[in-house]
C-alpha cells in the first residue's frame, strides 16, 4: 500500500469513529482505566500500568517486555511493533507515575476516572496519563489497521519520572538496546487554546531547562544565645537571601524561544503582541520593556531566563544556641547552554559577603547540559505537519520550562520532541500537579489522530 492510500484509509477510519462525547471513544476509555491505577509516586506502583497494558499490546502483535526494577511494585513497560528494519526505530515515551493529590481540594475522586461535561478528570489526566493514552492508542491503531512499517515503533511506559531512583536513566544503563531509537516523542510542548477553545498555537519542545541546586552557606560563631555577636550566621544568610530576592538574571533567548515568541507576537492580541515583538526585537530598551510585561506571567518569565527559587533552609538546632552555620538551597533552572559556574560567580558578587559561600551542590553539574534537539529530522517535520493539519495553527519549537526524562536520550545524541498531545486552555493548565486535573475527550480524540498521522508519516512504508 502506498503512503497516500494508507493516509486515505486512515482519514476514513478516523472520520467514522464514535462521537467525541461518548466515553466509549477509545483514547478516553483507555485513559479512564489508566487513571484508576493509582500510581502516585512515592511509591509509584507503575507495574500496575504494565499489567494493564501488556495483554492489550500483546493481542495486537507487539513484542511486550516488562522490565522489573529492584523495587517490587515498580516496572518499565515496553511494547515494540516490528517494521522491516529499513530505518531505525521511533520511540514514544510516557511516564506512568503521577504526583500526589490534596484529596480534600478535589471535587471528584482523583483515581476514579470520572467523566463530566466532556472531560475526563483525574490525577495524571494531563501529566501524563492523557499523553500515555494518546501515544498507546496511536501505536495500537498502527497494528489494528495493519499499516506497513519501515521501522519499529516502540511504546514505553516509564517508572519514576516524578520521583525516585529507577527512572529511564536507570533503565538505559542495563537495557539500552530496548529503548535505542533514531528519535523519540515525550511530554513537553503545548497545544494552547484561546478563550473560545480555538487553538492559538502548537509548541513542540526541543530542549528542557536544566535544574541545578545551588547551596548558600553562611558561617558565624557558635555560642550561647545570651551573648549574641555581630557575625550571626542566620542574619548573614538572611541578608544574602534578601539581596538575591531582588536580583534577576538577564534575558537569554535560545533560537527556539525566539521563534516561540515570534509566534506569540503573531497569534496574540495587543498590547501583548507588541510586548512579544519587543522581546525579540534585539533593541535593549524594547527587550527590557517586553521582559517587564511578559514576565508578569510566571511561565513566560521562566522561559526567557535562568530562574532562582529558594526551596530549603536549614539553620539552628535548639533554642539557646546560636548556630555556627546556616544553609539555604536554591533550585536554579538553567537555559541550555549557560554555564552554572558563571551564575555562581555572579550570585557571589551580588551577595558581596565573604562569610557566605555559594557553590553548586554537585560541582560537575552543568557540564552535562545537552544541546537542543535538531528541528531538521523526519520526526520533527512529521509532527509539525500533522499538528498544522490537525489544528490549522502555527507550530513553533519550544524550550520546556521544567525537566523531563528526555535527557536519557538527548544526552546520547538522540533527538527528543515533547508535546502534551491535547488542546488545552491556560486555565486547565494550572490544574496540572494541582486540583481537578482534567482533559477534554474531544482533545484526546484529535490528539490521537495527530500522533497517529505522525507515526504513519515517520514509520510507514512509503
Ligand atoms: Zn510529566
Amino acid at each position: 500500500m502506498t503512503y497516500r492510500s494508507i493516509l486515505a484509509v486512515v482519514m476514513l477510519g478516523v472520520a467514522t469513529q464514535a462521537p467525541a462525547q461518548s466515553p466509549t471513544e477509545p483514547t478516553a476509555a483507555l485513559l479512564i482505566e489508566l487513571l484508576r491505577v493509582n500510581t502516585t509516586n512515592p511509591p509509584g506502583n507503575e507495574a500496575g500500568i504494565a499489567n494493564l497494558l501488556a495483554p492489550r499490546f500483546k493481542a495486537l502483535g507487539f513484542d511486550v517486555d516488562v522490565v522489573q526494577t529492584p523495587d517490587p511494585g515498580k516496572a518499565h513497560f515496553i511494547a515494540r511493533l516490528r517494521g522491516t528494519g529499513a530505518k531505525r526505530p521511533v520511540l514514544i515515551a510516557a511516564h506512568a507515575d503521577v504526583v500526589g493529590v490534596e484529596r480534600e481540594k478535589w471535587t471528584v475522586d482523583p483515581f476514579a476516572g470520572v467523566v463530566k461535561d466532556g472531560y475526563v478528570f483525574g490525577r495524571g489526566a494531563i501529566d501524563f496519563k492523557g499523553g500515555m493514552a494518546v501515544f498507546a492508542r496511536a501505536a495500537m491503531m498502527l497494528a489494528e489497521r495493519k499499516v506497513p512499517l519501515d521501522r519499529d515503533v516502540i511504546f514505553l511506559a516509564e517508572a519514576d519520572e516524578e520521583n525516585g531512583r529507577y527512572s529511564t536513566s536507570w533503565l538505559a544503563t542495563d537495557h539500552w538496546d530496548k529503548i535505542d531509537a533514531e528519535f523519540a516523542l515525550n511530554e513537553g510542548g503545548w497545544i494552547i487554546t484561546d478563550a473560545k477553545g480555538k487553538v492559538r498555537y502548537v509548541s513542540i519542545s526541543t530542549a528542557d531547562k536544566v535544574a541545578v541546586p545551588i547551596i548558600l552557606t553562611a558561617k558565624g560563631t557558635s555560642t550561647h544565645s545570651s551573648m549574641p555577636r555581630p557575625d550571626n550566621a542566620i542574619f548573614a544568610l538572611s541578608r544574602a537571601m534578601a539581596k538575591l530576592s531582588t536580583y534577576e538574571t538577564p534575558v537569554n533567548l535560545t533560537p527556539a524561544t525566539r521563534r516561540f515568541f515570534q509566534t506569540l507576537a503573531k497569534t496574540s492580541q495587543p498590547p501583548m503582541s507588541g510586548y512579544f515583538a519587543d522581546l525579540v526585537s534585539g533593541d535593549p530598551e524594547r527587550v527590557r520593556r517586553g521582559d517587564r510585561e511578559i514576565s508578569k506571567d510566571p511561565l513566560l518569565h521562566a522561559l526567557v531566563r535562568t530562574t532562582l527559587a529558594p526551596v530549603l533552609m536549614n539553620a539552628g538546632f535548639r533554642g539557646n544556641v546560636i548556630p555556627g552555620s546556616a544553609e539555604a538551597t536554591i533550585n536554579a533552572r538553567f537555559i541550555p547552554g549557560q554555564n552554572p559556574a558563571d551564575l555562581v560567580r555572579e550570585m557571589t558578587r551580588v551577595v558581596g559577603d565573604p562569610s557566605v559561600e555559594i557553590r553548586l551542590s554537585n560541582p560537575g553539574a552543568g557540564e552535562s547540559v545537552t544541546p537542543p534537539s535538531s528541528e531538521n529530522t523526519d520526526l520533527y517535520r512529521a509532527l509539525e505537519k500533522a499538528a498544522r493539519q490537525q489544528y490549522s495553527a502555527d507550530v513553533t519549537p519550544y524550550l520546556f520550562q521544567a525537566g523531563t526524562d528526555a535527557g536519557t536520550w538527548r544526552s546520547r545524541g538522540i533527538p527528543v520532541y515533547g508535546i502534551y498531545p491535547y488542546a488545552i486552555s491556560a486555565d486547565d493548565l494550572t490544574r496540572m500537579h494541582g486540583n481537578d486535573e482534567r482533559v477534554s475527550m474531544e482533545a484526546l480524540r484529535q490528539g490521537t489522530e495527530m500522533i497517529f498521522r505522525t507515526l504513519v508519516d515517520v514509520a510507514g512504508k512509503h
Side-chain angles (χ1 to χ4, degrees):
M1 216 162 28
T2 65
Y3 169 58
R4 202 167 282 281
S5 58
I6 291 170
L7 213 59
V9 171
V10 166
M11 301 315 221
L12 214 65
V14 165
T16 55
Q17 269 176 13
Q21 295 303 307
S22 156
T24 57
E25 198 279 310
T27 306
L30 178 59
L31 172 57
I32 289 165
E33 291 185 89
L34 294 169
L35 291 170
R36 287 178 181 161
V37 182
N38 185 340
T39 52
T40 301
N41 194 4
N45 286 322
E46 296 93 335
I49 296 292
N51 294 337
L52 174 74
L53 292 177
R56 317 271 170 105
F57 277 101
K58 217 177 247 169
L60 288 167
F62 284 74
D63 296 345
V64 162
D65 203 346
V66 177
V67 180
Q68 184 58 52
T69 73
D71 185 340
K74 201 173 280 300
H76 294 268
F77 172 77
I78 304 163
R80 180 185 291 256
L81 188 60
R82 297 267 172 201
T84 61
K87 296 175 183 166
R88 295 183 60 220
V90 56
L91 177 127
I92 47 179
H95 62 87
D97 57 336
V98 296
V99 293
V101 294
E102 296 172 277
R103 184 66 189 82
E104 67 287 356
K105 294 186 178 146
W106 283 63
T107 62
V108 296
D109 180 345
F111 302 104
V114 173
V115 173
K116 224 172 64 176
D117 311 326
Y119 287 83
V120 182
F121 285 74
R123 172 55 87 223
I126 303 173
D127 183 18
F128 187 63
K129 283 182 174 165
M132 174 177 287
V134 167
F135 287 179
R137 276 302 308 156
M140 287 173 178
M141 282 161 68
L142 293 172
E144 288 165 358
R145 295 174 193 192
K146 302 191 167 45
V147 178
L149 299 176
D150 255 347
R151 58 170 104 232
D152 294 2
V153 175
I154 307 169
F155 169 87
L156 167 66
E158 309 163 347
D160 275 0
E161 195 269 350
E162 298 285 7
N163 189 70
R165 53 207 279 223
Y166 300 116
S167 65
T168 54
S169 55
W170 175 86
L171 179 67
T173 309
D174 287 330
H175 303 282
W176 176 247
D177 56 312
K178 297 178 188 204
I179 55 169
D180 188 10
E182 183 171 339
F183 31 48
L185 288 183
N186 196 341
E187 62 187 351
W190 304 105
I191 303 165
I192 295 289
T193 64
D194 61 20
K196 291 183 188 128
K198 184 178 164 11
V199 172
R200 280 178 53 207
Y201 64 86
V202 178
S203 60
I204 300 171
S205 65
T206 53
D208 295 344
K209 284 185 86 180
V210 185
V212 178
I214 295 177
I215 313 287
L216 278 77
T217 310
K219 291 267 160 54
T221 306
S222 341
T223 184
H224 198 287
S225 56
S226 62
M227 295 171 292
R229 297 169 181 231
D231 68 343
N232 184 295
I234 293 179
F235 275 148
L237 181 64
S238 304
R239 279 192 298 271
M241 295 301 279
K243 281 182 183 162
L244 291 175
S245 74
T246 56
Y247 168 70
E248 190 77 289
T249 63
V251 170
N252 183 347
L253 302 180
T254 67
T257 319
R258 196 171 283 282
R259 296 241 320 261
F260 173 70
F261 281 106
Q262 281 160 351
T263 303
L264 287 189
K266 220 171 100 187
T267 58
S268 312
Q269 301 296 319
M272 288 312 289
S273 53
Y275 300 138
F276 294 133
D278 284 339
L279 194 71
V280 292
S281 67
D283 171 65
E285 196 46 50
R286 286 182 64 192
V287 172
R288 253 195 300 281
R289 179 175 57 193
D291 177 28
R292 196 172 51 233
E293 295 301 328
I294 69 117
S295 285
K296 290 173 185 167
D297 177 327
L299 168 61
L300 298 180
H301 171 256
L303 289 182
V304 302
R305 56 167 43 83
T306 295
T307 54
L308 301 178
V311 286
L312 297 166
M313 283 184 104
N314 187 9
F317 55 97
R318 55 180 293 157
N320 59 358
V321 174
I322 296 175
S325 69
E327 191 176 279
T329 303
I330 291 186
N331 183 251
R333 300 275 178 147
F334 283 88
I335 299 283
Q338 202 190 341
N339 183 352
D342 292 342
L343 179 63
V344 166
R345 262 191 298 280
E346 176 64 4
M347 287 167 70
T348 305
R349 187 194 63 77
V350 169
V351 166
D353 180 347
S355 74
V356 179
E357 183 213 28
I358 305 179
R359 62 184 168 86
L360 299 173
S361 80
N362 165 13
E367 284 156 20
S368 58
V369 173
T370 47
S373 298
S374 164
E375 292 146 43
N376 187 22
T377 66
D378 287 343
L379 180 56
Y380 186 89
R381 278 189 291 268
L383 180 57
E384 186 182 41
K385 187 172 140 206
R388 212 172 266 143
Q389 276 180 353
Q390 191 73 46
Y391 303 105
S392 311
D394 281 299
V395 181
T396 169
Y398 181 66
L399 166 65
F400 190 52
Q401 75 279 2
T404 70
D405 270 343
T408 299
W409 290 270
R410 284 204 189 108
S411 65
R412 289 169 167 82
I414 292 167
V416 182
Y417 307 107
I419 189 156
Y420 288 83
Y422 11 80
I424 195 165
S425 69
D427 170 52
D428 280 350
L429 205 52
T430 61
R431 300 170 185 241
M432 177 171 147
H433 285 213
N435 308 317
D436 283 355
E437 185 177 349
R438 65 178 195 178
V439 63
S440 114
M441 289 198 284
E442 172 59 12
L444 287 168
R445 190 190 64 76
Q446 291 185 14
T448 308
E449 237 175 77
M450 173 185 69
I451 297 299
F452 178 64
R453 265 193 213 144
T454 304
L455 293 178
V456 169
D457 193 349
V458 81
K461 238 183 165 128
H462 52 93

